[in-house]
Amino acid sequence: MNHAGMLALVKKRKRPVEAGAQGQVEVKFKEVTLYLVERKMGSSRRNFLTSLARSKGFRVEDVLSDDVTHVVAEDNQAEVLWAWLKGHGLRDVSRVAVLDISWFTDSMREGRPVRVETRHCIQVREPVNTPTGTDCSPPTAVANVSQYACQRRTTTENHNKIFTDVMEELAESSEFNESKGPCLAFRQAASVLKSLPSAVHCLEAIQGLPCLGENTKAVMEEILTFGRSFKVEEIRCDERYQALKLFTSVFGVGPKTAEKWYRRGLRSLQEILTEPNIQLNRMQRAGFLYYSDISKAVSKAEAKALGCIIEETVHWIAPDATLALTGGFRRGKEYGHDVDFLLTMPEMGKEEGLLLHVIDRLKDQGILLYCEYQGSTFDVSKLPSCRFEDMDCFQKCFLILRLEQGQVEGERGLQMDPGDSRGWRAVRVDLVAPPVDCYAFALLGWTGSRQFGRDLRTFAQKERQMLLDNHALYDKTKKLCLLATTEEDIFAHLGLEYVEPWQRNA
């Protein structure tokens, strides 16, 4: 056989499928079976993504069959993809989730199969804006939708994630570009859409709703027409955005530091760690050291376990102390980036030094991996403040704690990567200790959400001639600080109906 003939045979010979490749790693998510469509994706990328998914505990099939629950495709036209699927003789194609690569990347980032949302689905769409049988009347009476998030009730049930996820990415991009106006506009628009009791199917349904400007409507129209935002896809592919988003995911790294690293030509975390001229501070060193753990979402079960640890520690030191879980978990969220607690003492001044004792106790237990303590700079004589600061003046500490597998209840237990045999993970925890007369204001501020708090302060100033922050509520007409022992007292002073924490997910 001549050389050309042998070369032809070599080219035709297919690489054998690795036998038992899936069995080498434990299948963690047995209810999910993936199939990655090679068309448009390419064989090399498909092989890489297959290995990545299997390493994280996903079952991935090399052949499309009735066992497959999730089909993942990249850059495939919906009509072509569905026609291809229906030609494979599956018993019931309708039961299979046909998903864009965005669902896969979200799942890889979280280390678990994320909930399938409308934005993930690849579906053959009706013509522009007016799907057959869709009600295009406003989802709620326009008069009932306030421009202020503090006058809306927003639960974790978001009917318009296909829009709000895009708005929040646009807001983040604007924040990286220091464009405060567009950033705020997109966050306000997302907040309004989150509060609606049903999904928006056409632009006519949002006429008259507050905080939805022309730019927002243009983005929504694009999503309604094409099922995606081309502006966001462009942003996601932008090298600067990718780098800043990656760098700011490290504990202790803010946008300014991330920008400085980007301007130095750095593009990966490894490049930062190997760059001899970069001096990381303590917080950043801890952020890199525990990055794999603290970049993962914290579950409600893990937050509950940490609550038990903190409560036992605090009450061992001060049995009469008051402790409250704040942040997204107080608002009813299932997952968060960290866990925040507020603690105080019933007698003014007794809270001083409390956090230092808590830190020492956590050290003694051997679970304190990192701690940064900030003493109180609170000065009552400087109230009221006309300018809100992101970080209040109370004593606080930013911690990384070691959470053990046996401390977390529930079937899922501790969230860990497949093959991780440590039996523990590092979790971010923040503790704040205001004096008791500021406790209600701090609780309100640390519960959030970010937009809810911003609108509450704006409402106080513009509608009630008052100044509100995490320390006090000042009445400019009476020239005095108003007393409040509960959040309900603060709402009453502002003339607002009380909004429960689980309704503040604006």
Side-chain angles (χ1 to χ4, degrees), residues 417-428:
D417 288 331
D420 189 341
S421 59
R422 290 176 302 164
W424 64 273
R425 67 167 288 198
V427 184
R428 282 268 300 106

Side-chain angles (χ1 to χ4, degrees), residues 320-351:
D320 55 346
T322 298
L323 180 73
L325 175 69
T326 62
F329 289 111
R330 186 169 184 244
R331 301 198 308 271
K333 287 201 165 187
E334 293 292 328
Y335 292 91
H337 295 296
D338 58 13
V339 191
D340 302 324
F341 296 96
L342 210 63
L343 57 153
T344 193
M345 297 291 289
E347 185 179 341
M348 283 286 293
K350 291 291 186 180
E351 78 286 346

Side-chain angles (χ1 to χ4, degrees), residues 251-252 281-287 289-290 294 310 353-364 366-375 395-402 426-432:
F251 175 50
N281 61 34
R282 281 187 66 249
M283 184 177 285
Q284 290 164 356
R285 287 198 297 272
L289 181 61
Y290 299 108
I294 62 180
I310 298 298
L354 177 59
L355 288 186
L356 292 174
H357 292 302
V358 172
I359 291 167
D360 288 339
R361 178 66 176 168
L362 293 172
K363 284 180 183 176
D364 292 341
I367 63 173
L368 185 63
L369 301 174
Y370 170 83
C371 171
E372 172 141 339
Y373 171 78
Q374 294 181 2
Q395 59 173 319
K396 57 181 68 69
C397 56
F398 307 106
L399 313 175
I400 299 177
L401 298 183
R402 173 176 171 141
V427 184
R428 282 268 300 106
V429 175
D430 294 340
L431 304 180
V432 185

Side-chain angles (χ1 to χ4, degrees), residues 199-223:
V200 172
H201 295 292
C202 58
L203 288 183
E204 287 80 359
I206 63 171
Q207 296 306 313
L209 291 175
C211 306
L212 301 182
E214 291 307 311
N215 286 342
T216 299
K217 290 178 180 177
V219 172
M220 293 181 69
E221 183 175 22
E222 191 173 59
I223 295 170

Side-chain angles (χ1 to χ4, degrees), residues 175-187:
E175 191 170 30
F176 285 153
N177 294 328
E178 297 185 358
S179 302
K180 293 183 179 180
C183 177
L184 180 58
F186 284 124
R187 291 199 192 282

Side-chain angles (χ1 to χ4, degrees), residues 203-391:
L203 288 183
E204 287 80 359
I206 63 171
Q207 296 306 313
L209 291 175
C211 306
L212 301 182
E214 291 307 311
N215 286 342
T216 299
K217 290 178 180 177
V219 172
M220 293 181 69
E221 183 175 22
E222 191 173 59
I223 295 170
L224 287 167
T225 305
F226 302 105
R228 61 208 295 187
S229 166
F230 297 106
K231 177 63 176 175
V232 162
E233 290 183 354
E234 180 183 333
I235 288 171
R236 288 172 183 165
C237 295
D238 179 70
E239 184 182 58
R240 178 176 174 273
Y241 175 80
Q242 290 175 346
L244 266 58
K245 190 173 180 66
L246 175 64
F247 296 163
T248 54
S249 70
V250 178
F251 175 50
V253 179
K256 289 185 178 179
T257 299
E259 179 70 36
K260 182 172 67 175
W261 289 348
Y262 176 78
R263 289 181 181 275
R264 294 180 68 162
L266 303 173
R267 297 294 182 268
S268 70
L269 300 184
Q270 187 61 36
E271 288 177 349
I272 294 167
L273 292 173
T274 56
E275 170 57 56
N277 295 322
I278 287 184
Q279 299 296 319
L280 302 174
N281 61 34
R282 281 187 66 249
M283 184 177 285
Q284 290 164 356
R285 287 198 297 272
F288 277 101
L289 181 61
Y290 299 108
Y291 182 80
S292 177
D293 277 353
I294 62 180
S295 61
K296 293 187 187 74
V298 183
S299 69
K300 183 185 289 187
E302 290 169 329
K304 183 179 178 181
L306 286 162
C308 293
I309 293 170
I310 298 298
E311 182 177 22
E312 182 180 344
T313 302
V314 170
H315 288 160
W316 186 86
I317 298 164
D320 55 346
T322 298
L323 180 73
L325 175 69
T326 62
F329 289 111
R330 186 169 184 244
R331 301 198 308 271
K333 287 201 165 187
E334 293 292 328
Y335 292 91
H337 295 296
D338 58 13
V339 191
D340 302 324
F341 296 96
L342 210 63
L343 57 153
T344 193
M345 297 291 289
E347 185 179 341
M348 283 286 293
K350 291 291 186 180
E351 78 286 346
E352 293 180 13
L354 177 59
L355 288 186
L356 292 174
H357 292 302
V358 172
I359 291 167
D360 288 339
R361 178 66 176 168
L362 293 172
K363 284 180 183 176
D364 292 341
Q365 296 176 59
I367 63 173
L368 185 63
L369 301 174
Y370 170 83
C371 171
E372 172 141 339
Y373 171 78
Q374 294 181 2
S376 173
T377 58
F378 178 63
D379 186 349
V380 69
S381 67
K382 293 184 179 179
L383 294 177
S385 173
C386 296
R387 182 178 177 182
F388 177 80
E389 300 290 342
D390 285 336
M391 203 52 79

